[in-house]
Amino acid sequence: MKLSIVLPAYNEEGSIEETLRTLYAKLQEEQIDHEIVVVNDNSKDNTLGLLTTIQETIPTLVVHTNQGPNGFGYAIRYGLERFQGDCVAIMMSDLSDDPADLVAFYRKMVAENLDCVFGSRFIRGGATYDYPKHKYLINRFANTLIRLLLGMSYNDSTNAFKLYKKTTIQGLKPFLSAHFNLTIELPLKAIIRGFSYGVLPNSWRNRKAGESNLKIKEMGSRYLFILLYVIIEKYLSRNDYLKREA
């Protein structure tokens, strides 16, 4: 099963090369058939130039530039319309996600024939490093609220790092999110629509270079919009969007 990895990149010249070389080395070591799809989200720095140079030594690297509209969600959606694998992982370009965790996700999906594999940083075996305290508190509040409102046990919906089969991605359309709220739209839709999933612990490290594009004050209403949409679909759609077996 071919693995695709979609990484959105906006002004990541300080991190993108180390991220890609570390990821590629791990996938080569594990002999996993793959492609690495980087979506340059109309960066203003030298991200695109670096990507062009890196392509010369990473043959599985595919580079797209999203001319617009721009934003984290739009960049991921751009990649999700263009990847060629049988399954696709969403990862960050700042080396916050561990390639070893990606391998574990992939092995679990193949072994158990799952539609999705989700990570949790907040179960036994999971870890966070240099997580800003205010973001941690907001994260735990938001995930607890999501769990209570949807009646589910999964506790890390807001982390973008997840793996989906290609057929699952098709079953989650149309996408509504233009920004970071896509991180909850995809897994919550998958769960309420009946796609199978497994959960593994994963780690997260704060970026070493550049700055986060997540602006919490701007995102609150957008996360709430998606959460309300998912609640309405779960309780009022009369199962119109449930997974259909081939």
Side-chain angles (χ1 to χ4, degrees):
M1 183 163 68
K2 183 174 182 177
L3 169 65
S4 295
I5 308 98
V6 170
L7 300 96
Y10 176 73
N11 292 350
E12 292 289 359
E13 65 179 2
S15 302
I16 192 68
E17 182 167 6
E18 183 180 4
T19 298
L20 293 177
R21 296 202 184 283
T22 303
L23 178 58
Y24 177 69
K26 186 62 178 178
L27 294 173
Q28 286 293 96
E29 175 190 331
E30 297 288 334
Q31 298 183 339
I32 295 175
D33 184 21
H34 72 277
E35 63 168 357
I36 302 171
V37 181
V38 177
V39 180
N40 168 44
D41 198 32
N42 204 16
S43 296
K44 308 305 180 189
D45 64 0
N46 192 39
T47 296
L48 182 57
L50 278 173
L51 290 170
T52 301
T53 300
I54 296 168
Q55 275 187 302
E56 297 175 3
T57 53
I58 298 183
T60 59
L61 175 59
V62 179
V63 177
H64 297 289
T65 292
N66 175 27
Q67 299 290 353
N70 298 118
F72 178 87
Y74 282 127
I76 291 177
R77 287 165 55 178
Y78 196 95
L80 293 180
E81 293 294 340
R82 290 162 175 80
F83 76 92
Q84 299 296 312
D86 303 297
C87 59
V88 60
I90 297 169
M91 297 183 72
M92 297 295 96
S93 297
D94 57 10
L95 208 59
S96 58
D97 303 315
D98 190 338
D101 290 333
L102 173 62
V103 172
F105 283 23
Y106 175 82
R107 300 293 187 206
K108 185 174 181 67
M109 175 174 279
V110 173
E112 301 180 25
N113 193 28
L114 296 168
D115 295 319
C116 323
V117 179
F118 302 149
S120 175
R121 300 162 288 183
F122 308 106
I123 59 175
R124 179 172 295 185
T128 60
Y129 302 94
D130 195 23
Y131 202 124
K133 187 172 183 179
H134 70 287
K135 287 188 176 183
Y136 174 85
L137 294 174
I138 293 170
N139 177 291
R140 299 327 300 143
F141 171 78
N143 276 283
T144 299
L145 180 65
I146 290 169
R147 289 172 58 202
L148 292 174
L149 292 175
L150 292 179
M152 66 183 198
S153 60
Y154 178 52
N155 71 348
D156 199 8
S157 301
T158 54
N159 186 13
F161 179 34
K162 294 177 172 68
L163 177 65
Y164 304 88
K165 279 187 177 176
K166 187 170 189 174
T167 50
T168 305
I169 291 296
Q170 296 302 319
L172 302 183
K173 293 180 178 180
F175 302 134
L176 305 175
S177 302
H179 300 283
F180 282 87
N181 47 343
L182 188 68
T183 61
I184 66 168
E185 178 180 351
L186 298 179
L188 296 185
K189 277 184 174 179
I191 291 170
I192 69 167
R193 292 183 182 183
F195 290 91
S196 62
Y197 68 95
V199 179
L200 288 176
N202 71 284
S203 63
W204 180 92
R205 294 180 182 275
N206 203 359
R207 62 169 54 243
K208 293 190 261 184
E211 61 181 46
S212 172
N213 297 311
L214 173 60
K215 303 296 186 287
I216 293 175
K217 289 183 180 179
E218 297 177 9
M219 287 299 116
S221 62
R222 292 178 171 125
Y223 276 98
L224 182 59
F225 162 67
I226 290 300
L227 179 56
L228 291 175
Y229 170 84
V230 172
I231 291 171
I232 290 170
E233 180 179 314
K234 176 179 173 65
Y235 294 109
L236 299 181
S237 70
R238 302 181 68 87
N239 299 328
D240 287 340
Y241 303 99
L242 284 182
K243 174 186 175 182
R244 307 299 179 189
E245 297 294 343

